[in-house]
Amino acid sequence: MTRSRAALLALLTMVALSPATTALADEGPEQIVNGTFDSGTAPWWSTGNTTLAIDEGRLCADIPGGTANPWDVIIGQNDLPLVAGDTYAYRFSASATPAKVGKALIQLPVDPWTQYLSANPELSVSGNDHSYTFTAPVSLPNSQVVFQLGGSAEPWRFCMDNVSLKGGAEPEVYEPDTGPRVRVNMVGYLPQGPKNATVVTAATTALDWELKNADKQTVAKGRTTPRGVDASSGQNVHTLDFGSYRKPGKDYTLTADGETSRPFDIAADIYDQLPTDALKFYYTQRSGIEILDSLRPGYARPAGHAGVAPNQGDVSVPCQPGVCDYSLDVKGGWYDAGDHGKYVVNGGISVHQLMAAYERDRAAFKDGQLAIPESGNGRPDILDEARWEQEFLLSMQVPEGKPFAGMAHHKIHDRSWTGLPLLPHLDPQPRELHPTSTAATLNLAATAAQAARLFAPYDPAFAARNLKAARRAWAAAKANPARYADPNDGTGGGAYNDADVSDEFYWAAAELFITTGEKEFKDFVLASPHHTGDIWRDRGFDWGNTAQLGRLDLATVPNALPDRARVRQSVVEGAEKYLAVQRAHPYGLPYNPPDFDWGSNNLVLNNLVVLATAYDLTGHEKYRAAVREGMDYILGRNALNQSYVTGYGEVASHNQHSRWYSHQLDPALPNPPRGTLAGGPNSGIQDPLAQRLLKGCKPQFCYIDDIESWATNELTINWNSPLAWVSAFLADKSGRSDCRVRYTAHGSGQFTGQIVVENTGRQTVDGWTLRWSFPGGQRVRQDWGAALSQSGSVVTATSSGRIKPGRSVTFGFVATNPSGPNPSPEVFHLNGERCG
């Protein structure tokens, strides 16, 4: 996880609200000395790179450009007493030429620089008045007022006046603007899917509701269902169901209890763009490559950490002192979150879920879909994007002949924390490899084994390289089964510690077995307690709980596991668990622990992955409906009445914690790109801003869309990965077809395949195409009975013939075997619809 330096060091903070528009009551004596600058600049001080001067009665300074962090240029005053429990009003007027966003702090004057107030005032050329309150948590004789003004590429001028700090103020109470009390999916609803909304109301009996179209005409009406007090929000709520209305249209609204919802659409294509946007997020997270404005207008930046001064670069990174005696070229990969760190355990689940989305339906992802530099190379863009990260994971493996050879270094990041904003190419910090870990090594083994089978049709050499790395990593992990990441290794980057790697062992063994079919991995899978245990946590799975990844792939990717039917049934049982939770929740949420976790939105989405997989396995509509309803929460049907995906919905997160999507701090920088998921409510409220504004929050209210709230509003690669997976599932319009397919194959080296397609419905199929995907590198060489074409691993058989009800057709082919096992494909689409 990412931290700003100041936020990480804060033990307890009382942070500012937005600038007040009314006077703040204060009765105490003035704490600031010479806040009007009538007697010169003393006792104000500054760092040596700027000089204080009086200009028309204001204190001014020319701020140098080319600094990296806010604290590189400071103006301050020391020795200000604070009294524990007293609430202080802090005021000042300030200007900037050109306009800037500054950082105003009241803090401990020595390490750990504990902050009692932190604010980011917008400084205009004409100047503005700023007012804040905070309550001192401790008594202190010598607190410090500072303005941190560094981090700008170009020089600028700062001026301030009328600085005041007085006690006796009234504490301000943070109240989020939740808009209308009728909460809906602001993006919209599918015509054939569930349509539910939640109404926040004091009423305890059913209420009338109306659905109105864009012309304000009532097109449906009904009565709400009272649900009582929702524990996750503390609200008394009703739910309403308008699923029987299916007419497509734009700007519908729901009215109940005198409130009208924000507008939404009903359309079959509402999710068509979201998978692409969720995946396009990864290009602007790339390290080691220039981000091109021609591909991402407004997001262009030089290559980060490519070894160009002042950047230290990732082309030859040494270990932390005493860890190793070599350096590695670990250029590339994705920045994990809003900082510049790269972590194998977070990269592992992220790249896995991108490849898993592709493996679920390879025909859904095309070359050119994402507009990335590799577009047009003949491979689906999703695989090219995954490869950018997978290459980095491979580079983190310890070379032969070195201690712990075959293991993977846990992470690489800056030696010390940096501030916001800071573009990657301007990061001046030295970079370090951190010790190897068993968890990181098993993440590499799992993703490399998965990549070996998926890249086989496109790049056999890269596939072989991955399989070799996976085998090396597996052997190294077995030889070092308890080499855990240090939980205290959190300076300059998150620790990502995990003291139980039995789940990673299970996941890696599962991927290696699927790819190779070898007995060693099968036996390990069957012996693992995760294979038969209930792994479906109420809180969902994540980077630290990965047994679910192995179970899902064993259930859905063709393999010869002897108890596979039981494995598939266990996924359905997990889906039933989440379905029950969702049905009991008045916001339709398949996640309802008593306190919400860091990154709760990602856990919600991962539970939806389980429900979606149950639909794929059974065809039971209730599971697909549950996924559709679960996405409603992410896109607005929640206590805060906002979408957590940037660019989706009338009110959506757009100030996620990031050093380069930092528009809130620097108007010249962009907000996060469309399709970026915010972490979401987090009962832990670990960051200073959340601790001040959200103290005592009910779980759904433990969120604020502010760049300083890294505990609730972070963006990460492993939060966008389930968003991409689930949105691809939602965009899949294929239904179930009345057909049955029997596939048989014989031979080695080359094999002969025969497919029988039976029409189990009541209507004649007049002309048909049958689509399937080979699990590995199989290639069709000859066909009969139908015309076969192949793109990558996707094969399409075409015929102009008919298949009458109760009848079948047979066709066949000759194909080359893959390097590993040759299991039968299990998913077939007849004329675009999935066969039962």
Side-chain angles (χ1 to χ4, degrees), residues 400-741:
E400 294 288 3
K402 299 295 183 179
F404 302 108
M407 295 196 78
H409 287 277
H410 196 69
K411 57 180 182 171
I412 175 259
H413 56 64
D414 292 343
R415 182 177 297 168
S416 300
W417 286 106
T418 56
L420 283 71
L422 181 62
L423 270 69
H425 71 287
L426 297 176
D427 175 16
Q429 280 285 331
R431 308 276 278 178
E432 294 176 332
L433 291 168
H434 291 245
T436 59
S437 73
T438 308
T441 304
L442 291 166
N443 269 260
L444 173 59
T447 62
Q450 184 184 20
R453 63 180 181 264
L454 294 181
F455 281 90
Y458 298 102
D459 190 337
F462 183 62
R465 178 181 159 210
N466 272 277
L467 186 55
K468 180 179 178 181
R471 292 184 186 279
R472 288 186 63 224
W474 175 259
K478 287 200 304 178
N480 301 275
R483 188 167 169 80
Y484 304 130
D486 182 357
N488 298 312
D489 186 13
T491 300
Y496 283 103
N497 53 296
D498 184 357
D500 180 0
V501 296
S502 60
D503 50 331
E504 282 84 1
F505 267 110
Y506 177 72
W507 173 34
E511 298 296 348
L512 279 158
F513 172 67
I514 292 169
T515 299
T516 68
E518 293 173 6
K519 184 178 184 300
E520 175 188 359
F521 307 119
K522 178 185 71 173
D523 290 347
F524 194 98
V525 165
L526 294 174
S528 170
H530 294 291
H531 189 56
T532 53
D534 180 6
I535 59 174
W536 309 114
R537 305 167 67 238
D538 291 338
R539 297 175 182 271
F541 63 86
D542 56 13
W543 66 267
N545 299 273
T546 59
Q548 297 85 342
L549 305 179
R551 184 84 66 89
L552 290 168
D553 270 11
L554 288 169
T556 57
V557 182
N559 65 83
L561 200 67
D563 64 343
R564 189 149 177 260
R566 185 203 57 78
V567 171
R568 293 161 73 95
Q569 180 57 33
S570 76
V571 175
V572 177
E573 291 167 358
E576 283 291 328
K577 179 177 182 177
Y578 298 136
L579 184 61
V581 172
Q582 181 183 60
R583 287 175 171 172
H585 201 291
Y587 277 101
L589 190 56
Y591 167 89
N592 194 29
D595 57 320
F596 279 25
D597 298 89
W598 194 322
S600 60
N601 285 341
N602 129 89
L603 298 170
V604 171
L605 287 165
N606 281 332
N607 287 350
L608 296 182
V609 169
V610 180
L611 285 158
T613 303
Y615 172 75
D616 284 347
L617 294 174
T618 67
H620 294 167
E621 185 59 33
K622 64 180 179 179
Y623 300 124
R624 181 164 66 170
V627 181
R628 292 169 171 175
E629 184 174 358
M631 184 59 83
D632 294 344
Y633 169 84
I634 298 294
L635 297 176
R637 186 191 170 198
N638 52 56
L640 288 168
N641 197 14
Q642 71 147 86
S643 165
Y644 290 110
V645 181
T646 305
Y648 281 80
E650 185 177 279
V651 177
S653 300
H654 59 280
N655 291 315
Q656 288 95 321
H657 181 82
S658 170
R659 281 161 175 74
W660 57 100
Y661 312 128
S662 299
H663 185 77
Q664 189 178 355
L665 301 180
D666 184 348
L669 296 174
N671 287 122
R674 176 179 170 88
T676 300
L677 181 72
N682 170 17
S683 299
I685 58 171
Q686 290 90 342
D687 66 76
L689 183 68
Q691 288 172 357
R692 168 59 181 92
L693 301 184
L694 304 178
K695 184 178 181 180
C697 55
K698 291 292 184 179
Q700 279 204 60
F701 282 100
C702 296
Y703 172 83
I704 183 168
D705 183 26
D706 190 286
I707 196 168
E708 295 288 359
S709 186
W710 39 260
T712 78
N713 202 35
E714 194 174 21
L715 54 82
T716 77
I717 56 176
N718 66 303
W719 295 347
N720 252 62
S721 57
L723 177 65
W725 196 106
V726 171
S727 58
F729 174 87
L730 291 170
D732 181 358
K733 297 181 177 64
S734 64
R736 295 285 164 152
S737 181
D738 294 324
C739 55
R740 183 180 298 117
V741 175

Side-chain angles (χ1 to χ4, degrees), residues 132-392:
Y132 306 93
T133 64
F134 72 99
T135 301
V138 296
S139 292
L140 193 71
N142 62 338
S143 75
Q144 180 184 71
V145 166
V146 296
F147 293 87
Q148 293 183 350
L149 305 171
S152 174
E154 70 278 354
W156 59 288
R157 185 166 177 80
F158 170 77
C159 294
M160 67 177 180
D161 200 0
N162 300 319
V163 186
S164 173
L165 178 67
K166 293 183 179 182
E170 290 294 324
E172 295 187 48
V173 178
Y174 173 70
E175 293 184 7
D177 180 4
T178 57
R181 290 184 286 104
V182 182
R183 311 292 162 79
V184 298
N185 178 334
M186 287 183 284
V187 174
Y189 298 85
L190 295 164
Q192 303 302 318
K195 302 175 190 69
N196 296 283
T198 301
V199 183
V200 180
T201 176
T204 57
T205 58
L207 302 166
D208 293 326
W209 61 262
E210 290 183 299
L211 175 68
K212 296 183 180 182
N213 61 19
D215 296 325
K216 308 304 180 185
Q217 299 169 327
T218 299
V219 295
K221 58 178 61 177
R223 300 275 286 173
T224 64
T225 300
R227 301 294 294 272
V229 176
D230 164 41
S232 70
S233 64
Q235 301 166 321
N236 188 75
V237 295
H238 294 203
T239 57
L240 64 88
D241 182 346
F242 60 107
S244 61
Y245 187 82
R246 299 180 176 181
K247 184 177 180 180
K250 291 185 175 298
D251 295 330
Y252 285 98
T253 55
L254 279 167
T255 299
D257 198 27
E259 293 274 320
T260 299
S261 74
R262 293 184 173 128
F264 58 88
D265 298 343
I266 297 176
D269 63 354
I270 58 171
Y271 292 116
D272 283 9
Q273 185 60 34
L274 183 52
T276 297
D277 287 339
L279 289 168
K280 290 177 79 168
F281 162 83
Y282 289 94
Y283 174 56
T284 52
Q285 287 292 116
R286 285 190 186 186
S287 175
I289 187 174
E290 178 186 6
I291 306 304
L292 301 173
D293 190 70
S294 59
L295 298 180
R296 295 294 184 277
Y299 290 89
R301 59 173 173 82
H305 298 95
V308 178
N311 196 269
Q312 300 292 315
D314 291 348
V315 295
S316 182
V317 181
C319 285
Q320 288 179 305
V323 170
C324 73
D325 62 356
Y326 53 83
S327 296
L328 293 180
D329 181 352
V330 292
K331 184 173 77 270
W334 301 317
Y335 296 117
D336 168 65
D339 64 359
H340 303 138
K342 299 187 291 189
Y343 308 82
V344 172
V345 295
N346 220 36
I349 189 173
S350 305
V351 74
H352 163 80
Q353 288 193 300
L354 264 61
M355 291 192 290
Y358 171 74
E359 197 159 23
R360 177 188 176 267
D361 185 3
R362 304 177 197 218
F365 300 96
K366 308 296 183 183
D367 184 17
Q369 176 185 5
L370 303 182
I372 56 179
E374 298 82 5
S375 294
N377 65 2
R379 279 195 302 266
D381 282 357
I382 189 172
L383 286 186
D384 287 322
E385 192 59 71
R387 182 169 182 164
W388 189 262
E389 176 69 5
Q390 188 60 31
E391 292 271 16
F392 161 71

